[in-house]
Amino acid sequence: MLRVRRAAFARHLVRSLSTTVDGFPGAVGNTPLIYLKKLSEKTGSTILGKAEFQNPGGSVKDRAALGIVLDAEAKDLLRPGGTVVEGTAGNTGIGLAHVCRARGYKCVIFMPNTQSQEKIDLLRMLGAEVYPVPAVAYENPENYNHQAKRFAEWKENTIWTDQFDNTANTEAHYRTTGPEIWEQAGGELDGFICATGTGGTLAGVGRFLKEKSGGKTQVWLADPPGSVLTSYVTSGGKLIERSGSSITEGIGQGRITNNLGTFVNDLSGALTVPDEKSIEMLYDLLDTEGLYLGASSALNVVAAVELANKLGKGSRVATILCDGAYRYQSRLFSKKWIQSKGLEDAIPLHLRKYVVLD
């Protein structure tokens, strides 16, 4: 039996290695679905993480970036030599910078100046023109999204990709991420949960899974502190004033984006994950699974465990492993930064060995 399994694995490996793709765009997607062994054994359920950090640009946002650009080309809104402009907390900008290089466009990024220096530096190394601006609420006309829109309006052959409200974002996940998860899970999935910034991943994947399962797969939203989305879902649609903050980047919201709006009323539920649980999970995943992930990925895994516990032993729950920790390591693995956030006590003693930066 073992010999047969090894032979089958070898055949799979040969097929995978013999497949070529067309440049950066062709390499986006078809990421593995990882069985998280220790957490699955601990919960008595199956916890699965979609390895979006294995996209060629390093994050789940490669899918939205490519989908939006291809949609603009198809609608003749973007022609050769054009410019792509976006307001982004980082990963969508990185995906767009890669796509623009591959397809011959100029890339201009506006982003909050609260984002990690690693992201800003990477965008510039990828040839993007980067404008870090003060982090202000969406309602403020100086919000990075509004500045990006104004910049694009006065230039010819230029698009503002509008990742939050351009539903080409959601469609990219409906066409690719959702079907991949369903197939990789063998068509057996009791729950899917992830955090949302633009809403594209949750809405696109959620809609596909709901349709494919005939409504059997529950789809939940996970939220960081400082976001209003959990309260919106649990209150039946009431938006409260946003307050508080989180160590996570690029997730959480103070409004319902167009992307999230395509699915928000079909959500099965929502929950908020404290930063203390996210930072503990971040180090635990490194220690037990060998996965070097960012804080939003850790939050998603905490949420997946909580959903699995709600659904009961034997349940199968999937989430998104958004990106790796490389873009945040100067913070997440810094003793001073951890202390400044009051999170030192949240990390168990046996995991503090990973906090190696001064």
Side-chain angles (χ1 to χ4, degrees):
M1 179 62 72
L2 180 59
R3 187 174 300 170
V4 171
R5 288 177 179 173
R6 285 176 175 170
F9 177 73
R11 288 195 298 271
H12 168 75
L13 206 57
V14 169
R15 285 198 300 271
S16 299
L17 292 175
S18 65
T19 302
T20 61
V21 297
D22 186 8
F24 181 94
V28 175
N30 293 312
T31 57
L33 189 64
I34 299 177
Y35 172 67
L36 300 177
K37 184 175 186 294
K38 297 296 184 182
L39 291 172
S40 296
E41 292 174 346
K42 184 177 181 180
T43 60
S45 298
T46 298
I47 310 295
L48 305 166
K50 184 68 165 154
E52 291 298 281
F53 59 88
Q54 289 195 14
N55 278 306
S59 87
V60 64
K61 295 297 187 179
D62 287 0
R63 296 185 190 255
L66 180 60
I68 289 172
V69 169
L70 293 179
D71 181 71
E73 291 177 348
K75 294 175 179 175
D76 201 31
L77 300 174
L78 188 61
R79 300 177 299 282
T83 300
V84 174
V85 184
E86 180 56 294
T88 170
N91 279 334
T92 302
I94 292 167
L96 285 170
H98 278 287
V99 172
C100 285
R101 292 271 45 82
R103 300 186 77 81
Y105 303 122
K106 180 180 179 181
C107 185
V108 178
I109 300 297
F110 286 78
M111 67 190 307
N113 59 8
T114 54
Q115 301 306 295
S116 65
Q117 190 61 43
E118 287 96 334
K119 283 184 180 178
I120 297 172
D121 291 342
L122 178 55
L123 281 166
R124 287 174 172 156
M125 285 186 280
L126 290 171
E129 194 174 305
V130 185
Y131 295 96
V133 299
V136 295
Y138 183 81
E139 294 75 19
N140 190 315
E142 296 308 306
N143 176 274
Y144 62 99
N145 289 291
H146 303 318
Q147 291 201 47
K149 180 181 179 182
R150 290 197 297 268
F151 183 93
E153 286 175 340
W154 59 268
K155 296 193 64 160
E156 292 185 6
N157 194 17
T158 297
I159 63 162
W160 170 47
T161 52
D162 190 17
Q163 61 164 324
F164 290 88
D165 294 313
N166 184 344
T167 55
N169 177 349
T170 294
E171 288 303 309
H173 290 286
Y174 178 79
R175 294 193 314 269
T176 67
T177 323
E180 289 173 27
I181 291 174
W182 180 257
E183 182 178 350
Q184 291 167 326
E188 297 181 18
L189 201 60
D190 299 297
F192 173 78
I193 188 167
C194 72
T196 179
T198 67
T201 305
L202 182 64
V205 173
R207 176 157 59 96
F208 182 88
L209 294 178
K210 281 276 192 178
E211 291 176 2
K212 197 69 176 177
S213 69
K216 293 180 181 178
T217 302
Q218 291 194 24
V219 179
W220 284 59
L221 180 151
D223 231 9
S227 176
V228 305
L229 298 180
T230 293
S231 64
Y232 180 89
V233 173
T234 56
S235 69
K238 296 180 181 178
L239 275 175
I240 63 172
E241 186 176 346
R242 189 171 186 174
S243 62
S245 61
S246 172
I247 63 169
T248 57
E249 297 184 18
I251 57 173
Q253 263 297 345
R255 67 186 182 97
I256 303 301
T257 64
N258 285 354
N259 281 292
L260 183 57
T262 65
F263 189 73
V264 69
N265 294 327
D266 296 309
L267 286 167
S268 305
L271 56 86
T272 296
V273 177
D275 282 347
E276 288 80 2
K277 288 188 177 181
S278 294
I279 197 71
E280 179 183 359
M281 181 61 77
L282 185 146
Y283 285 101
D284 186 68
L285 287 166
L286 177 58
D287 190 62
T288 62
E289 304 285 353
L291 294 172
Y292 188 63
L293 302 172
S296 57
S297 299
L299 181 150
N300 282 347
V301 175
V302 173
V305 169
E306 292 193 15
L307 181 56
N309 288 334
K310 289 179 183 291
L311 297 177
K313 290 188 181 299
S315 58
R316 292 168 61 82
V317 176
T319 192
I320 301 293
L321 307 181
C322 314
D323 62 7
Y326 303 97
R327 294 168 184 172
Y328 320 94
Q329 61 189 19
S330 64
R331 297 181 180 186
L332 295 176
F333 294 85
S334 162
K335 297 173 186 176
K336 290 181 180 178
W337 188 84
I338 293 291
Q339 290 170 354
S340 74
K341 298 298 180 181
L343 294 173
E344 188 174 23
D345 291 340
I347 304 173
L349 288 174
H350 73 284
L351 296 178
R352 293 184 188 180
K353 61 186 177 184
Y354 296 111
V355 189
V356 297
L357 303 178
D358 292 329

